[in-house]
Amino acid sequence: MSTLGLIGSGHIGGTLARLGVAAGLDVVLSNSRGPETLTDLVAELGPRARAATAKEAAEAGDWVVVTVPLKHYDQVPVKPLAGKVVIDTNNYYPQRDGAIPELDEERTTTSELLQRHLPQSYVVKAFNNIMYTHLASLARPSGAPDRSVLPIAGDHADAKATAARLIDQLGYDTFDTGVLADSWRFQRDTPAYVIPYAKNPLGLGSSGDDPGAPFDVAGLKVALDAAKRPGS
């Protein structure tokens, strides 16, 4: 596998594109506004990157990352993603996405919504619990003593293994948290969300100049175990 397809090229998508090119991958970027709006980013990334439509990025990718506002998840192309591993970075922000009763009532998770939309794909949850600035600054080579870990979740073991290989190339270890229904444990506002990767957690990890700090699997396990659903 050598091509990373990106459906969405905002903060997370652009950061993954940079990490992918640095890792020697070809990258195909797309967004909702059209390939012509990605000219500057593609020029920055160099010859391994090109802009395309969402459908073309889906077709080209050996792995495909969906990193669009959750309210647009049902616009992700279905047919070209059949049989592929699709990595979902989405978080639910009602003020941006509008109310989604299934999520408000904790009857499903964001990635289960995407999996339902893509019934012939293999959705893996990843990259949603870390700020894009920390995603960029904390990437390390395999085996580095200060390498950080990212949680993943999915309903298919082979798909999670495939996603983990990509994430390893991009600079991170992974920890398998279980099926998509368990991915709420690292969604927004849980202990594993954003703050653990901050050098200054008292600043809630959201300062743009926070350089980030390595986060290991032991810390991640503690954070995951501490996660509580509202009303539980």
Side-chain angles (χ1 to χ4, degrees):
M1 292 184 178
S2 61
T3 300
L4 175 61
L6 291 160
I7 299 177
S9 298
H11 289 318
I12 291 290
T15 300
L16 291 174
R18 293 179 180 92
L19 293 176
V21 167
L25 301 176
D26 293 328
V27 176
V28 182
L29 302 105
S30 68
N31 64 17
S32 62
R33 295 175 294 140
E36 65 279 0
T37 65
L38 295 167
T39 301
D40 291 346
L41 180 56
V42 168
E44 173 196 334
L45 293 170
R48 284 195 174 274
R50 65 181 176 91
T53 65
K55 178 177 180 293
E56 290 166 340
E59 291 171 340
D62 296 303
W63 308 271
V64 179
V65 177
V66 171
T67 180
V68 299
L70 181 63
K71 62 183 176 181
H72 298 313
Y73 80 90
D74 57 356
Q75 298 176 24
V76 172
V78 176
K79 187 174 179 180
L81 290 173
K84 295 195 175 190
V85 173
V86 176
I87 299 174
D88 170 38
T89 78
N90 286 327
N91 288 301
Y92 175 41
Y93 297 94
Q95 66 272 28
R96 177 198 65 187
D97 301 315
I100 301 175
E102 286 180 280
L103 297 178
D104 292 335
E105 297 165 12
E106 302 283 348
R107 288 187 281 118
T108 192
T109 62
T110 58
S111 291
E112 287 176 291
L113 289 178
L114 184 63
Q115 181 66 84
R116 191 166 64 196
H117 175 66
L118 302 172
Q120 294 181 294
S121 302
Y122 304 99
V123 173
V124 177
K125 187 72 166 187
F127 300 121
N128 68 298
N129 75 314
I130 184 170
M131 282 185 62
Y132 74 96
T133 51
H134 295 155
L135 181 62
S137 65
L138 294 177
R140 299 288 189 274
S142 182
D146 61 344
R147 205 180 208 214
S148 293
V149 63
L150 295 175
I152 62 172
D155 294 341
H156 306 276
D158 289 347
K160 286 188 283 189
T162 297
R165 286 194 291 273
L166 169 66
I167 295 168
D168 176 62
Q169 290 186 60
L170 298 182
Y172 289 86
D173 292 336
T174 53
F175 179 75
D176 185 351
T177 68
V179 296
L180 292 178
D182 295 328
S183 63
W184 66 270
R185 292 186 178 276
F186 56 98
Q187 67 188 11
R188 63 173 294 201
D189 299 331
T190 60
Y193 182 77
V194 173
I195 294 174
Y197 299 93
K199 185 173 183 179
N200 177 25
L202 294 179
L204 301 183
S206 59
S207 172
D209 60 358
D210 187 299
F215 184 45
D216 64 16
V217 69
L220 177 59
K221 288 179 179 179
V222 170
L224 293 169
D225 287 344
K228 303 292 182 185
R229 277 189 144 161
S232 63

